[in-house]
Amino acid sequence: MSALPNTTTKGAGRRWPLYTLVAAALIALALGVETFLREENFAPRKEILSASIRDIIVSQEDSLYPPPDTNRFQGPPEAVFVYLSVEGLPSGEDMEARVQRAESGSVLRMLFGEEAGIEVLDEQEDQLSKSENGATGIVKFALMTGSDEPVPAGNYTLEVYGSAEPDAGGEPAARKSFVVEET
């Protein structure tokens, strides 16, 4: 009987866990640096790009008329109310709002935390008067989570589009950036 020679080398099959750990550490480091840079470069701002929109205000106050604008919420509010002051808005113009959130927090929370879906709810009473020049007044809507939890902390950018399709590369009519801080 002939014996087969032992051609395996000791420890060759145990290197892949080390490579996996090094790759995971590099990914976590890259996400941490990216999060830090994103938070450093984010500044609350307001851009109005349409002649029909006069102002865009965000607040946690649900009131008949626009309250003072809030750029930074000192804790997660139950809802963020958005007030658009419009003048000469063409009648029949459909408006659409989109919100994006860049989460602030630890890398582990970003990797393993649940994503809270933010919804734009247009169940508010609009205060508009119509004339031959178009609609004038206040359009109000709310940003809330789908699970009735407070709006999570993060850096938010809200964009309001006119009748042009936002996916067609059209510019937004207004853009508002704000911050919800952790408590």
Side-chain angles (χ1 to χ4, degrees):
M1 233 194 236
S2 68
L4 295 174
N6 186 2
T7 58
T8 61
T9 58
K10 190 174 186 176
R14 290 187 233 158
R15 288 189 183 161
W16 72 267
L18 178 63
Y19 294 136
T20 304
L21 287 174
V22 169
L26 289 175
I27 290 171
L29 179 65
L31 284 173
V33 168
E34 192 270 336
T35 301
F36 176 75
L37 292 176
R38 183 180 344 132
E39 287 181 14
E40 291 294 316
N41 292 333
F42 188 84
R45 68 181 200 277
K46 178 189 321 189
E47 292 178 78
I48 298 176
L49 306 167
S50 170
S52 299
I53 297 179
R54 296 292 180 211
D55 200 6
I56 182 170
I57 295 170
V58 296
S59 177
Q60 69 184 40
E61 292 181 42
D62 183 10
S63 66
L64 190 57
Y65 295 102
D69 195 13
T70 305
N71 287 326
R72 216 171 264 287
F73 295 90
Q74 299 299 323
E78 293 297 318
V80 174
F81 294 95
V82 180
Y83 301 84
L84 287 175
S85 176
V86 298
E87 184 177 321
L89 185 68
S91 61
E93 180 172 348
D94 291 329
M95 299 188 83
E96 180 179 331
R98 292 194 173 179
V99 65
Q100 293 178 322
R101 176 174 69 108
E103 184 175 355
S104 58
S106 71
V107 174
L108 289 176
R109 183 173 173 189
M110 286 176 56
L111 289 174
F112 301 114
E114 289 185 21
E115 180 70 25
I118 303 296
E119 297 177 0
V120 178
L121 301 175
D122 187 22
E123 299 173 357
Q124 309 297 316
E125 289 291 323
D126 295 336
Q127 311 250 334
L128 295 174
S129 62
K130 296 180 182 176
S131 68
E132 67 266 0
N133 295 334
T136 300
I138 304 296
V139 176
K140 181 173 125 180
F141 57 92
L143 305 176
M144 303 175 83
T145 62
S147 60
D148 291 332
E149 293 180 9
V151 175
N155 299 331
Y156 288 83
T157 301
L158 171 72
E159 293 180 333
V160 177
Y161 292 88
S163 59
E165 286 295 318
D167 293 333
E171 286 291 316
R175 183 180 295 127
K176 173 75 176 168
S177 302
F178 59 95
V179 176
V180 176
E181 296 177 348
E182 290 277 342
T183 53

